[in-house]
């Protein structure tokens, strides 16, 4: 069949397998040629491994100097009579293929990372087939729902403000328009549920469970990802429900860091740059900032995508020759440093002030934003022939 992009609002309803393969290959190529990760991890578990920062982390530790064996957990759908499957499914397949070509283990678990069943499978695999322990756990899940482990009831996150409502322009990728939207104030219940879904509780429970099972190696590290951003975005992010959840995540890093001392281990949160991912396009009123940021950072030559961010994180911050992992006053790793550079932010603010529904294509980097979105789903690569038929019978045989 011929596969075309189908976009509804900010959700992609189709994915191109060969474009996803190209995306994985490009990221591998990038990390092979970038400054390498020295003294890196060798046995890595990535929770949320199929896209965005998690996939980039996995590619970085496997191909960026450390040659790590990896286990990836993700929630994805393969091809069936209902559709071609999700981009993350193909990312898993093609990552594994490339890793195996290099003689690396790349085990994929596709299913619900919140379930006990998944935890049991992962632990059994580490114990029986992965050498008995992991020396790095990357926590990169992004989701809108998490079941309460005790009752099974679902907590649902809300991307809302805390305090005052705000309104602001937001991109509609389907229609290529900039529309005004109101972001409501969260209720106490919504705020609490968002912290449950996107805060640190599940990260803590994974690390506790792995430690109790004796599969965290001596000297192990764990890292989760966060966003802070500049003041212009505070009402919708840092001071909103997501920011509250991230504050909880930051606190969890300190708690886990204390607990892991018994193993000479360490826990960190890395604050990353704003990027287009399957998760971030849902953040209302955030896109004008990203459009302006991309424009300025590309002009300055400081723009990075997920893979550049993760390679810099592992090569320059978490591993390498430094005696200590460099952190800020709040013990956070800051790979958002180039984003928050004062001159960059001044230029971004000036662009945002000028941006309207008529001129956002010229003022901001809408072309880059849309291309990133298409490429997340395997579209928009020059060297993929999108007019050629994809043999779905062959795709159906691929296993993650
Ligand atoms: P993403 O949507 O690209 O990836 C999320 C991953 O979680 C996927 O692998 C997905 O399969 C997996 N997942 C979701 N629910 C699952 C479940 N129930 N069981 C198993 N796997 C599940 O997201 P992205 O943007 O890479 O986010 C990862 C982290 O990075 C999040 O904590 C996010 O807040 C953070 N971050 C994102 C930024 C951005 O601009 N995108 C900026 C800074 C931090």
């Amino acid at each position: 069949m011929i596969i075309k992009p189908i976009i509804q609002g900010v959700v992609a309803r189709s994915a191109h397998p060969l474009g996803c393969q190209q995306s994985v290959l490009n990221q591998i190529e990038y990390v092979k040629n970038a400054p390498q990760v020295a003294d890196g991890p060798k046995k890595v578990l990535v929770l949320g491994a199929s896209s965005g920062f998690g996939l980039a982390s996995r590619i970085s530790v496997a191909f960026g100097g450390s040659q790590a064996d990896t286990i990836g957990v993700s929630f994805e759908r393969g091809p069936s009579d209902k559709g071609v499957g999700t981009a993350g499914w193909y990312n898993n397949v093609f990552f594994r293929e490339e890793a195996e070509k290099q003689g690396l283990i790349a085990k994929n678990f596709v299913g619900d990372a919140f379930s006990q069943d998944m935890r049991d499978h992962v632990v059994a695999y580490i114990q029986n087939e992965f050498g008995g322990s992991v020396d790095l756990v990357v926590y990169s899940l992004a989701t809108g729902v998490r079941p309460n482990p005790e009752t099974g009831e679902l907590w649902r996150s809300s991307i809302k403000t805390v305090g005052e409502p705000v309104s602001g322009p937001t991109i509609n990728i389907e229609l290529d328009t900039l529309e005004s939207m109101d972001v409501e104030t969260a209720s106490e219940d919504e705020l609490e549920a968002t912290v449950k879904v996107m805060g640190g509780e599940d990260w803590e429970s994974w690390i506790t469970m792995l430690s109790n099972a004796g599969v965290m190696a001596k000297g192990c590290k764990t890292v989760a990802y966060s966003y802070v951003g500049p003041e212009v975005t505070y009402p919708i992010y840092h001071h909103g429900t997501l920011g509250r959840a991230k504050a909880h995540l930051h606190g969890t890093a300190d708690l886990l860091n204390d607990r892991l001392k018994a193993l000479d281990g360490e826990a960190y949160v890395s604050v990353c740059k704003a990027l287009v991912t399957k998760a971030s396009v849902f953040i209302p009123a955030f896109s004008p900032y990203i459009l302006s940021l991309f424009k300025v950072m590309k002009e300055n030559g400081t723009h990075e995508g997920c893979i550049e961010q993760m390679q810099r994180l592992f090569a320059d911050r978490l591993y390498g020759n430094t005696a200590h992992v460099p952190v800020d006053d709040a013990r956070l790793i800051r790979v958002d440093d180039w984003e928050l550079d004062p001159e960059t932010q001044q230029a971004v603010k000036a662009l945002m002030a000028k941006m309207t529904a008529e001129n956002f294509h010229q003022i901001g980097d809408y072309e880059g934003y849309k291309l990133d979105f298409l490429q997340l789903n395997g579209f928009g690569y020059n060297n993929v022939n999108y007019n050629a038929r994809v043999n779905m019978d062959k795709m159906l045989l691929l296993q993650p």
Side-chain angles (χ1 to χ4, degrees), residues 361-379:
H361 285 264
Q362 293 82 38
I363 297 283
D365 180 29
Y366 183 63
E367 218 177 289
Y369 182 92
K370 177 113 185 209
L371 183 63
D372 281 359
F373 181 79
L374 288 171
Q375 290 190 338
L376 286 177
N377 302 294
F379 299 102

Side-chain angles (χ1 to χ4, degrees), residues 254-277:
D254 293 337
L255 183 137
L256 291 176
N257 197 55
D258 281 344
R259 284 199 198 151
L260 287 175
K261 278 187 182 141
L263 285 171
D264 289 334
E266 295 159 68
Y268 294 97
V269 161
S270 171
V271 183
C272 302
K273 171 181 187 255
L275 282 171
V276 181
T277 66

Side-chain angles (χ1 to χ4, degrees), residues 51-185:
S51 63
F53 284 111
L55 174 64
S57 303
R58 194 179 192 188
I59 291 175
S60 172
V61 296
F63 293 96
S66 194
Q67 307 267 308
D69 291 328
T70 57
I71 301 172
V73 177
S74 61
F75 197 84
E76 301 292 346
R77 207 175 47 247
S80 69
D81 49 2
K82 292 198 186 76
V84 293
T86 54
W89 174 271
Y90 295 105
N91 293 339
N92 284 336
V93 168
F94 295 118
F95 173 84
R96 182 188 50 70
E97 282 190 4
E98 292 305 314
E100 285 177 354
K101 279 186 208 163
Q102 298 281 316
L104 300 174
I105 299 173
K107 173 72 179 171
N108 288 310
F109 285 95
V110 179
D112 186 5
F114 297 121
S115 71
Q116 189 56 47
D117 208 34
M118 176 61 83
R119 287 159 209 246
D120 294 344
H121 279 111
V122 169
V123 167
Y125 180 79
I126 296 172
Q127 285 170 334
N128 302 325
E129 293 174 66
F130 202 63
S133 62
V134 289
D135 54 4
L136 171 68
V137 179
V138 173
Y139 188 89
S140 189
L141 295 181
T143 173
V145 285
R146 173 182 164 223
N148 180 329
E150 262 128 52
T151 64
E153 224 175 296
L154 293 182
W155 287 303
R156 289 180 193 281
S157 66
S158 312
I159 308 179
K160 293 191 176 180
T161 65
V162 175
E164 296 296 313
V166 294
S167 53
T170 206
I171 291 287
N172 181 323
I173 304 176
E174 181 185 350
L175 303 176
D176 294 321
T177 51
L178 190 66
E179 299 163 356
S180 179
M181 86 174 277
D182 301 321
V183 187
E184 293 164 34
T185 305

Side-chain angles (χ1 to χ4, degrees), residues 258-306:
D258 281 344
R259 284 199 198 151
L260 287 175
K261 278 187 182 141
L263 285 171
D264 289 334
E266 295 159 68
Y268 294 97
V269 161
S270 171
V271 183
C272 302
K273 171 181 187 255
L275 282 171
V276 181
T277 66
K278 211 171 69 185
S280 71
V281 290
F282 276 98
I283 305 173
F286 199 69
S287 33
Y289 171 70
I290 297 203
L291 296 194
S292 308
L293 181 72
F294 281 20
K295 183 90 167 185
V296 172
M297 291 188 85
K298 283 182 186 176
E299 275 170 12
N300 290 347
T302 53
H303 181 73
E304 296 175 296
C306 286

Side-chain angles (χ1 to χ4, degrees), residues 309-325:
Q309 280 263 291
M310 292 301 102
Q311 185 67 11
R312 192 152 70 88
L313 170 66
F314 292 112
D316 266 16
R317 307 295 171 89
L318 260 187
Y319 297 96
N321 299 324
T322 44
H324 297 289
V325 173

